[in-house]
């Protein structure tokens, strides 16, 4: 039975088949929920998981256009991410996460303490970067946007 199920999930006509992302890895279906596991890629020198917001293999294939666009110009998107995070996320940290005894960091110092936790991407060009700062009071927030408008909001 286990082999039969495994062969079904490998078939290309299966709507929940694994999806190869050339040069990066394979998105495998998460059988517990209708989603796919992420693939770890290099994002500006850091290993970051990219997760497709799709329920089917075809949805993952369609969403790869968004992921490829982000990765193909990652330096430019990273600079835009930094700008959006400093504009909105820095103030969130100062008001909600920073303790009085914590050092008062400049926006650039604050940015250097953050890492991209993971990235979600969708078929229609939308994406979200989930950021995490372990040394910033455990701050976790999301920078959302789309390929045409750039980053549109930062929320915690």
């Amino acid at each position: 039975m286990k082999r039969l199920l495994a062969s079904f999930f490998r078939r290309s006509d299966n709507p929940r088949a694994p999806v190869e992302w050339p040069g990066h890895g394979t998105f495998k279906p998460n059988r517990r929920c209708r989603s796919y596991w992420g693939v770890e890629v290099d994002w500006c020198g850091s290993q970051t998981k990219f997760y497709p917001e799709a329920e089917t293999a075809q949805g993952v294939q369609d969403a790869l256009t968004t992921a490829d666009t982000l990765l193909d110009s990652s330096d430019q998107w990273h600079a835009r991410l930094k700008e959006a995070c400093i504009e909105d996320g820095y103030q969130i940290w100062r008001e909600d996460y920073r303790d009085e005894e914590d050092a008062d960091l400049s926006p650039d110092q604050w940015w250097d303490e953050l890492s991209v936790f993971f990235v979600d991407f969708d078929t229609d060009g939308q994406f979200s970067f989930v950021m995490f700062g372990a040394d910033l009071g455990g701050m976790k927030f999301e920078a959302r946007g789309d390929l045409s408008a750039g980053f549109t909001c930062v929320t915690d």
Side-chain angles (χ1 to χ4, degrees):
M1 182 65 157
K2 198 172 191 178
R3 283 186 182 183
L4 180 63
L5 283 173
S7 68
F8 173 75
F9 278 105
R10 282 193 300 271
R11 287 184 14 210
S12 62
D13 65 337
N14 172 15
R16 298 272 298 144
V19 177
E20 180 68 27
W21 189 10
H24 300 291
T26 302
F27 294 103
K28 296 177 182 168
N30 180 343
R31 294 187 179 104
R32 293 186 199 139
C33 58
R34 298 195 56 79
S35 64
Y36 278 76
W37 294 106
V39 169
E40 198 164 276
V41 299
D42 177 52
W43 178 262
C44 299
S46 297
Q47 292 300 303
T48 303
K49 286 266 190 173
F50 271 56
Y51 290 91
E53 287 290 325
E55 294 183 1
T56 64
Q58 185 59 52
V60 174
Q61 287 288 356
D62 294 345
L64 284 177
T65 302
T66 302
D68 285 333
T69 301
L70 291 170
L71 284 176
D72 288 346
S73 52
S74 61
D75 289 339
Q76 294 167 349
W77 280 106
H78 197 70
R80 293 172 82 177
L81 174 64
K82 178 180 179 179
E83 182 181 314
C85 288
I86 286 177
E87 184 175 320
D88 295 329
Y90 179 69
Q91 196 59 36
I92 293 170
W93 171 73
R94 290 182 58 84
E95 293 173 2
D96 299 338
Y97 290 91
R98 183 177 171 264
D99 290 328
E100 290 179 19
E101 63 271 0
D102 289 344
D104 192 19
L105 303 175
S106 72
D108 285 328
Q109 290 170 321
W110 173 81
W111 171 255
D112 291 341
E113 296 293 325
L114 290 171
S115 60
V116 177
F117 196 48
F118 64 87
V119 179
D120 286 330
F121 58 94
D122 207 331
T123 58
D124 59 0
Q126 293 186 357
F127 52 81
S128 65
F129 284 73
V130 176
M131 308 295 293
F132 182 69
D135 293 334
L136 298 171
M139 181 179 195
K140 181 179 163 193
F141 64 95
E142 182 178 18
R144 288 181 279 181
D146 64 64
L147 295 176
S148 60
F151 289 93
T152 55
C153 73
V154 174
T155 59
D156 64 340

